[in-house]
Amino acid sequence: AARKTRGAAAEKQYVGFATLPNQVHRKSVKKGFDFTLMVAGESGMGKSTLVNSLFLTDLYKDRKLLNAEERINQTVEIIKHTVDIEEKGVKLKLTIVDTPGFGDAVNNNECWKPITDYIDQQFEQYFRDESGLNRKNIQDNRVHCCLYFIPPFGHGLRPVDVEFMKALHEKVNIIPLIAKADCLTPNEIKKLKDRIREEIDKFGIKVYQFPECDSDEDEEFKQLDKELKWRTSHTVTL
């Protein structure tokens, strides 16, 4: 009888707060997740190709390609593409924020201003929604990550690259990418990555760092995480 009582007491203890993480997990999976990814960089760097390859979908099927004259006069725009993705029963509402016109003008002074304004607006809107009475169906349009494409033809970061990342690094997770890296030799890629790393540290730019693995993760996942950190080391090549 004493054993049964202890067993029943143990079950009661387990059913309460101990199962809360599992309950949150199941609820989150059922509801789905929102992820907003911004891509920035001048035209021709492979932004749309990368996004379509990452998520196995064509988000740019209605895109209009501009000629050289139209690109000169184009200002920086903010264009959103949204698609619902489901994999293994987990739903993801993916929003891609594109920035056509960035870096394409002859004078790119403060061309990042419309982008920083947009990010700030999303934070302000989310704050207003959370401060309101109806918080059940809040749409989270905050930018969670920014992929910034660096041209492979220079010898490091350009002034516009430095100013863009310094303007955004306190607002959003930035992942710098060396675009079109297949046009460089392995030795050239290494030299360019080393130079970009040095300049990122020199200018005090904060870029996204892979988080540490939880101690209870399996060894295969830990090894994969270790390899990703070693391969990227601040800058990814495409």
Side-chain angles (χ1 to χ4, degrees):
R3 287 179 184 173
K4 290 182 179 180
T5 303
R6 283 197 297 269
E11 283 186 14
K12 287 180 180 179
Q13 290 175 357
Y14 180 76
V15 168
F17 292 104
T19 59
L20 184 59
N22 294 330
Q23 293 169 0
V24 172
H25 174 78
R26 288 196 300 269
K27 185 177 180 180
S28 299
V29 169
K30 183 179 179 181
K31 182 181 178 182
F33 300 90
D34 295 326
F35 185 70
T36 301
L37 176 67
M38 175 178 280
V39 289
E42 63 189 57
S43 299
M45 291 291 103
K47 300 189 297 295
S48 57
T49 302
L50 174 63
V51 170
N52 288 339
S53 300
L54 278 175
F55 301 104
L56 300 178
T57 184
D58 188 2
L59 289 172
Y60 297 85
K61 55 187 175 184
D62 299 324
R63 181 180 60 165
K64 179 187 175 184
L65 297 177
L66 304 178
N67 57 38
E69 184 179 353
E70 290 172 325
R71 283 176 55 186
I72 290 174
N73 298 321
Q74 185 187 19
T75 56
V76 179
E77 297 180 71
I78 303 293
I79 299 178
K80 292 170 60 176
H81 306 271
T82 303
V83 63
D84 292 321
I85 299 175
E86 184 171 347
E87 183 176 350
K88 295 182 180 179
V90 180
K91 296 179 181 178
L92 172 68
K93 182 183 177 184
L94 172 68
T95 301
I96 302 296
V97 180
D98 200 358
T99 57
F102 174 82
D104 290 344
V106 175
N107 181 6
N108 289 307
N109 185 36
E110 291 195 344
C111 61
W112 53 87
K113 191 73 168 56
I115 299 174
T116 57
D117 289 345
Y118 174 82
I119 293 173
D120 288 338
Q121 288 166 10
Q122 305 316 305
F123 277 117
E124 291 171 5
Q125 183 62 50
Y126 190 80
F127 175 75
R128 285 195 297 268
D129 290 343
E130 274 207 324
S131 302
L133 297 175
N134 184 16
R135 291 174 290 185
K136 187 176 181 181
N137 299 312
I138 294 178
Q139 294 293 323
D140 186 1
N141 293 313
R142 295 172 298 175
V143 178
H144 301 109
C145 178
C146 175
L147 300 182
Y148 184 66
F149 288 67
I150 301 170
F153 315 115
H155 299 283
L157 296 178
R158 304 166 300 170
V160 67
D161 301 327
V162 174
E163 293 303 323
F164 175 87
M165 288 192 281
K166 286 178 71 174
L168 267 72
H169 70 160
E170 298 284 359
K171 304 175 185 289
V172 65
N173 295 310
I174 298 178
I175 300 179
L177 307 176
I178 298 176
K180 306 281 187 180
D182 55 350
C183 68
L184 302 174
T185 65
N187 189 40
E188 289 173 331
I189 292 173
K190 184 180 183 304
K191 286 183 178 179
L192 182 56
K193 288 184 72 172
D194 290 342
R195 179 67 182 271
I196 290 174
R197 289 192 198 109
E198 290 174 5
E199 293 180 339
I200 283 174
D201 293 335
K202 173 184 174 182
F203 292 108
I205 297 170
K206 300 174 184 176
V207 296
Y208 177 77
Q209 304 289 345
F210 280 99
E212 295 297 326
C213 285
D214 292 333
S215 58
D216 59 347
E217 292 287 358
D218 57 65
E219 290 302 320
E220 184 180 353
F221 184 84
K222 289 180 180 178
Q223 183 61 30
L224 178 61
D225 180 76
K226 184 178 179 181
E227 290 178 6
L228 283 172
K229 289 177 181 176
W230 180 82
R231 288 176 182 273
T232 54
S233 298
H234 291 329
T235 312
V236 181
T237 53
L238 293 177

